[in-house]
Amino acid sequence: LVTYSVATFAVTETAFHTIMGSLGDRKGRRPVAIWGAALAGCSPFLMYLLKSPLLFVPVRIIDGMGAAALWPSLNALASEVTEERDRATAMSVISTGRMVGLAFGPPTGLYLASVTGSNRVPFLASVALFVLVLVLCVVALPPGIENTPAHQSGATRKPLQTLHEAVGLLRERPV
């Protein structure tokens, strides 16, 4: 069941990357990223509500669509709002954040389940984290960036402050 759930997520995310990227090009990266965070946050909430683990597999389709909307949009935004010399670092910060979540999410969920004695608590924790991601997308992504990409419009865009600071820290203290 776990294999089917993971495979369903992976196939859905892969299938929707191009579609969501195109949607971000047409409608704007910010709204697509916000929509993706909201959609991905629905998945653990639905899993919390479901009584049968068999229903997790179709719910992972929603999760895959949300991830396909969120991550490419964030990478495109990072590309647009950072200077060329910082672009690779900025995108690496985003990718590292995602990989840390993928690496530590399951063990953290198992830990929460063992500490609380409930297999449902990790889903609520995941919902809380996605609410945080959604709030950060709304607050931290600069309004107005959802129009046309900076390189097409010639507009000057302010970098995302937190991403800009992360890139600065990495430049000061190389790994």
Side-chain angles (χ1 to χ4, degrees):
L1 187 60
V2 172
T3 302
Y4 292 121
S5 178
V6 171
T8 299
F9 170 81
V11 168
T12 303
E13 183 181 10
T14 302
F16 278 86
H17 262 172
T18 303
I19 295 166
M20 294 302 182
S22 176
L23 185 64
D25 289 341
R26 288 182 286 123
K27 300 294 183 183
R29 283 110 169 77
R30 183 177 188 263
V32 172
I34 291 169
W35 182 80
L39 193 60
C42 288
S43 177
F45 180 70
L46 289 172
M47 288 180 182
Y48 172 78
L49 295 176
L50 294 173
K51 302 294 183 205
S52 170
L54 288 174
L55 296 174
F56 284 13
V57 174
V59 168
R60 294 291 285 181
I61 293 171
I62 296 168
D63 198 10
M65 290 173 65
L70 178 63
W71 295 107
S73 295
L74 291 180
N75 279 325
L77 282 168
S79 175
E80 291 174 0
V81 300
T82 55
E83 295 178 25
E84 189 173 346
R85 67 186 171 100
D86 296 330
R87 195 160 293 144
T89 305
M91 294 178 83
S92 295
V93 168
I94 291 170
S95 293
T96 300
R98 182 174 186 191
M99 293 301 117
V100 165
L102 288 171
F104 290 106
T108 302
L110 288 172
Y111 174 76
L112 287 173
S114 68
V115 168
T116 62
S118 170
N119 289 337
R120 295 165 55 93
V121 170
F123 296 113
L124 290 178
S126 184
V127 170
L129 290 173
F130 270 110
V131 167
L132 177 63
V133 169
L134 182 59
V135 168
L136 286 173
C137 282
V138 170
V139 172
L141 297 178
I145 199 157
E146 66 270 8
N147 296 326
T148 57
H151 64 276
Q152 290 178 359
S153 67
T156 305
R157 308 233 191 249
K158 287 185 173 181
L160 300 174
Q161 191 61 35
T162 53
L163 187 58
H164 183 69
E165 289 171 2
V167 169
L169 285 174
L170 288 172
R171 190 177 308 121
E172 291 171 15
R173 297 182 195 111
V175 178

